[in-house]
Amino acid sequence: MQLLAYILAYPIIWFISILPFRVLYFFSDISYVIIYYIVGYRKKTVRQNLFLTLRHLNEGERRIIEKKFYHHFTDSFFEMAKSMTISDKELRKRFVFNNINLVHEYEAKGKSVVLLIGHYASYEWLLYMNRQLTTHKGFGIYKVIRNKYFDQLVKRIRGKFNAELIGARQTIPTMRQNERNGVLGFYGFITDQSPKLSSAIHWCNFFDMEVPIHVGGEMLAKKIGMNMMYAKVSKTSRGYYNCTFVGVDENIKEVPNFEISDNFMKMLEEQILEAPEYYLWTHKRFKHRKNDPPKA
């Protein structure tokens, strides 16, 4: 069944990837109507998340954001498929790094780097930063896809950007092996996902709710002796993004545990409030919250 699903889906994904952007977004608009108005994909979860986080807005205002989000959501799917065949020239135009020099400064420090990332704007095309690295190698920590054929496809697509994917369970062994072999890396950790309660070791204030967050990036950086950075990705217009890197104090071992992760979540929250439609509202980010936010 896994192979059959892959055989059926692959030609569609490939066909999407070769479409001109104007045509690609036409199909995205059609998909938006189907997913939002007909299928209602995870609409209950999206509305609950928007209600919890944007209580200062009325229901009508949240509905406008909801529709904008689904438009961005379908665009993101088609842009991800486009990654299969997009040229360097096109991607360089559509995803701009505002201060790539800071990345090079961190490379010059001679240590591996943990990069904290959120589900905001285009975290997929952020992988293009790996083509900008000079001495380091890019690694992305990800959740292995159950269908092994799609998992291999995702690895091939992201490999275009010189990024090597590491399954969550292989993160520590890979990091330690790279350190032993003298391989310097940039390790991308998506921090705003909701971990299993059994593995939650820290709760963060996010939109006035106490929720568990992944702190593995921070803790591994301290344990192994790495530097850290934040990636702040913004959407400037349809199909166009930019990224600003934010440095973290080099003496991270002297920073109280979890403070770096908390600061990243605070920065992400501020960014979401500026343009909430670009955050990934379909995942159950607040399912393990200890409290509801106060009423507006």
Side-chain angles (χ1 to χ4, degrees), residues 142-272:
Y142 85 118
K143 184 177 181 180
V144 177
I145 301 172
R146 291 183 180 179
N147 186 313
K148 63 180 181 180
Y149 300 101
F150 282 111
D151 189 68
Q152 292 169 2
L153 175 62
V154 169
K155 286 182 176 180
R156 288 202 305 272
I157 293 174
R158 292 175 177 175
K160 274 189 57 180
F161 305 120
N162 297 337
E164 180 178 330
L165 297 188
I166 306 172
R169 294 182 179 179
Q170 297 302 314
T171 304
I172 296 177
T174 301
M175 282 182 161
R176 286 178 171 168
Q177 182 178 354
N178 285 343
E179 290 297 308
R180 289 195 298 268
N181 294 338
V183 177
L184 297 174
F186 261 80
Y187 297 90
F189 282 79
I190 295 184
T191 303
D192 61 327
Q193 289 177 311
S194 183
K196 295 180 180 179
L197 280 178
S198 58
S199 60
I201 63 173
H202 176 64
W203 295 69
C204 168
N205 186 298
F206 191 47
F207 286 99
D208 293 322
M209 289 174 280
E210 293 296 317
V211 295
I213 63 171
H214 283 284
V215 293
E218 177 182 346
M219 303 314 292
L220 286 172
K222 288 183 175 181
K223 186 172 184 179
I224 298 177
M226 300 182 180
N227 288 323
M228 295 189 71
M229 296 178 69
Y230 302 143
K232 183 178 180 181
V233 181
S234 302
K235 186 172 185 175
T236 55
S237 61
R238 194 175 198 183
Y240 290 87
Y241 305 86
N242 63 47
C243 175
T244 300
F245 295 101
V246 180
V248 176
D249 190 332
E250 190 170 353
N251 299 314
I252 62 172
K253 289 186 177 181
E254 298 178 8
V255 179
N257 284 343
F258 315 126
E259 184 176 300
I260 294 173
S261 299
D262 284 346
N263 287 340
F264 172 76
M265 295 298 290
K266 182 178 180 181
M267 182 183 74
L268 179 62
E269 179 180 327
E270 292 172 352
Q271 191 175 15
I272 293 170

Side-chain angles (χ1 to χ4, degrees), residues 104-149:
H104 296 153
E105 289 176 15
Y106 268 67
E107 285 187 289
K109 295 177 186 293
K111 289 185 178 181
S112 290
V113 182
V114 164
L115 184 68
L116 299 188
I117 304 163
H119 283 99
Y120 191 85
S122 179
Y123 44 92
E124 185 73 26
W125 282 357
L126 176 61
L127 288 168
Y128 183 56
M129 74 163 286
N130 296 308
R131 292 244 175 134
Q132 319 299 315
L133 301 178
T134 56
T135 59
H136 286 47
K137 183 177 179 179
F139 297 89
I141 315 304
Y142 85 118
K143 184 177 181 180
V144 177
I145 301 172
R146 291 183 180 179
N147 186 313
K148 63 180 181 180
Y149 300 101

